[in-house]
Amino acid sequence: MDNILITSPSLDTKDNVSGISSITRLLMSYNTKVNYYHFVLGRKDNSKRGLFWLITQMKTPFKILTFVRKHHISAVHFNIGFEPLSLLRDVFPYFLLYLKGLPLYLHIHGGRYISSIPDSIILRSIIKFFLKKSTEILVLSSTECDYLSLHYPFLFGKKIWVIPNAVEIPKENELKKDYQSEFLNILYLGRIDRKKGLETIARSLNELSDKGISYRFYLCGVGPDKDWFIKQLNGAAYASIIDKGLVYGEMKKEVLSLSHIFLLPSFFEGLPMALLESMGSAVVPIVTPVGSMSVVVQDHENGFLINDDTAITDIIVRLNQERNLLAAMAFRSRKTIMEQFSITRYVDMINEIYCSV
């Protein structure tokens, strides 16, 4: 078996809820054809950037070289989100791995610069370096593949692999759905950050309360804008919040099994694990058509794609009134994940890429 170094933030669910950590955890658990050695790149969700963090980052390139020698690494699966801090943090370790002559599988998990060119010449140069020096490039959707091919002509002739994320799918008897219940259970799952469309969510929750809609809002996650978000809610909406904090393991399964609607009106995304996990648990998504989310969510079929701030309220009011429609869309949502985003299919695709080199 090959010894493959794989990078991601911490795999401990108490430290990180990132999609990169989640998919890395699954891949290491299910892919028995290679020996994975995990190397931590990225900070814990609750840690702050300061002097200690900076010193730690400066040591990373040297640690990764020691790691490669110790474990006799033969290839590197390098996970990254095309965000400014990730690009700046990871470029030097990546450069050293390139100098070692190891095959580099560059796995891009979305980010703002997978669908736009940065203004900064430094960031543009770093992105070109990552792409040029990669042995293989993996992206989450054909949309991202087309974008890279169009805007980075030097990639002509290099294969870009499209490999959507995957999730574990709960059994039918593990779900606790009641589509005729008095309360609609609405879910937000992920990093609590304004860029995720929190202002839109707060406005919609306030409007639902004003209209007398009975709902529970499960707020699941941690992040810098949690206090700000809660302050945006009026009294009735605030009373409807169930603040679960960071959820993982059985608690996460429980919340997903109870939820009816998933909200993510984000400004930019890759292919969020939270979206796939919720749909796999028969939760109807209401999301913006950014990143690769529109590849998974078919508008008015297995969920809703929205382009304006008022749409969420109107959709939830309708689903509250038409519970049979809610149940039917939840069924189609789950069916999409079972057919297209299973972990078994994902592992087979990853191993095909490894074997191509």
Side-chain angles (χ1 to χ4, degrees):
M1 288 188 182
D2 289 335
N3 293 345
I4 295 183
L5 183 156
I6 188 166
T7 67
S8 80
S10 171
L11 300 182
D12 189 335
T13 51
K14 297 177 182 178
D15 294 332
N16 284 94
V17 294
S18 77
I20 295 179
S21 294
S22 297
I23 195 66
T24 300
R25 237 180 348 258
L26 286 175
L27 185 56
M28 292 178 67
S29 297
Y30 281 88
N31 193 357
T32 58
K33 294 187 177 181
V34 300
N35 292 321
Y36 283 114
Y37 291 88
H38 178 246
F39 187 87
V40 177
L41 272 182
R43 65 189 180 93
K44 297 178 181 179
D45 287 334
N46 288 321
S47 66
K48 296 181 179 179
R49 296 183 179 92
L51 180 60
F52 178 77
W53 176 84
L54 181 61
I55 294 172
T56 301
Q57 298 308 302
M58 292 172 65
K59 294 179 180 178
T60 297
F62 307 101
K63 287 181 177 180
I64 207 167
L65 289 180
T66 302
F67 193 90
V68 166
R69 289 193 297 268
K70 177 181 178 182
H71 298 292
H72 307 287
I73 297 299
S74 56
V76 178
H77 189 137
F78 202 96
N79 291 300
I80 189 171
F82 268 17
E83 293 288 332
L85 288 176
S86 297
L87 291 164
L88 292 168
R89 179 196 65 212
D90 293 349
V91 65
F92 194 40
Y94 192 81
F95 172 68
L96 293 179
L97 293 169
Y98 167 72
L99 290 181
K100 291 287 290 183
L102 295 168
L104 297 174
Y105 301 96
L106 182 67
H107 197 161
I108 306 170
H109 295 262
R112 71 189 75 181
Y113 296 134
I114 192 63
S115 58
S116 65
I117 300 290
D119 294 330
S120 165
I121 188 171
I122 295 176
L123 289 175
R124 290 201 301 271
S125 299
I126 289 174
I127 289 173
K128 288 180 180 179
F129 175 78
F130 271 107
L131 296 174
K132 281 184 176 180
K133 303 308 180 184
S134 63
T135 307
E136 301 288 344
I137 298 173
L138 292 67
V139 296
L140 302 179
S141 73
S142 57
T143 302
E144 296 176 358
C145 177
D146 293 342
Y147 179 85
L148 291 180
S149 300
L150 177 64
H151 290 88
Y152 298 96
F154 59 82
L155 292 176
F156 179 77
K158 176 176 282 192
K159 183 173 179 59
I160 302 175
W161 300 81
V162 176
I163 178 163
N165 284 336
V167 291
E168 291 181 296
I169 302 170
K171 298 177 182 177
E172 191 73 36
N173 61 8
E174 294 177 341
L175 303 179
K176 301 177 181 179
K177 307 294 180 188
D178 180 1
Y179 295 106
Q180 303 302 324
S181 65
E182 177 186 356
F183 290 91
L184 277 180
N185 293 328
I186 303 171
L187 172 66
Y188 176 85
L189 174 62
R191 182 170 172 79
I192 304 179
D193 188 307
R194 297 190 200 200
K195 296 190 292 291
K196 301 292 187 178
L198 296 182
E199 188 171 356
T200 299
I201 292 176
R203 186 182 305 114
S204 296
L205 294 179
N206 288 332
E207 291 172 350
L208 291 172
S209 296
D210 292 341
K211 291 176 180 292
I213 303 295
S214 297
Y215 69 89
R216 300 186 186 96
F217 179 68
Y218 291 101
L219 180 61
C220 301
V222 295
D225 295 322
K226 182 173 182 177
D227 293 340
W228 170 87
F229 172 72
I230 291 175
K231 288 179 181 178
Q232 306 308 304
L233 303 176
N234 63 31
Y238 178 82
S240 300
I241 282 188
I242 300 175
D243 182 3
K244 305 293 285 188
L246 186 63
V247 296
Y248 52 89
E250 292 304 315
M251 183 187 301
K252 187 177 186 179
K253 291 179 181 179
E254 177 77 7
V255 171
L256 287 168
S257 75
L258 292 170
S259 298
H260 300 116
I261 297 169
F262 170 77
L263 300 182
L264 188 60
S266 188
F267 300 162
F268 48 81
E269 288 289 341
L271 182 54
M273 294 292 286
L275 171 65
L276 302 183
E277 289 171 336
S278 60
M279 291 178 68
S281 295
V283 185
V284 177
I286 304 176
V287 301
T288 42
V290 298
S292 300
M293 292 201 290
S294 59
V295 176
V296 185
V297 180
Q298 305 301 310
D299 194 29
H300 288 79
E301 288 295 324
N302 61 1
F304 296 90
L305 298 173
I306 60 170
N307 290 291
D308 64 82
D309 288 356
T310 62
I312 291 179
T313 305
D314 295 339
I315 292 169
I316 293 178
V317 169
R318 180 187 176 192
L319 292 177
N320 184 58
Q321 295 171 342
E322 302 179 37
R323 296 303 183 93
N324 290 336
L325 173 63
L326 174 65
M329 294 191 73
F331 172 81
R332 292 195 290 268
S333 176
R334 177 175 164 84
K335 186 170 182 284
T336 298
I337 304 304
M338 294 179 69
E339 292 178 349
Q340 301 178 33
F341 300 93
S342 72
I343 188 62
T344 302
R345 181 173 181 268
Y346 184 86
V347 168
D348 289 342
M349 293 173 69
I350 286 288
N351 286 332
E352 180 185 353
I353 296 169
Y354 291 161
C355 291
S356 69
V357 178

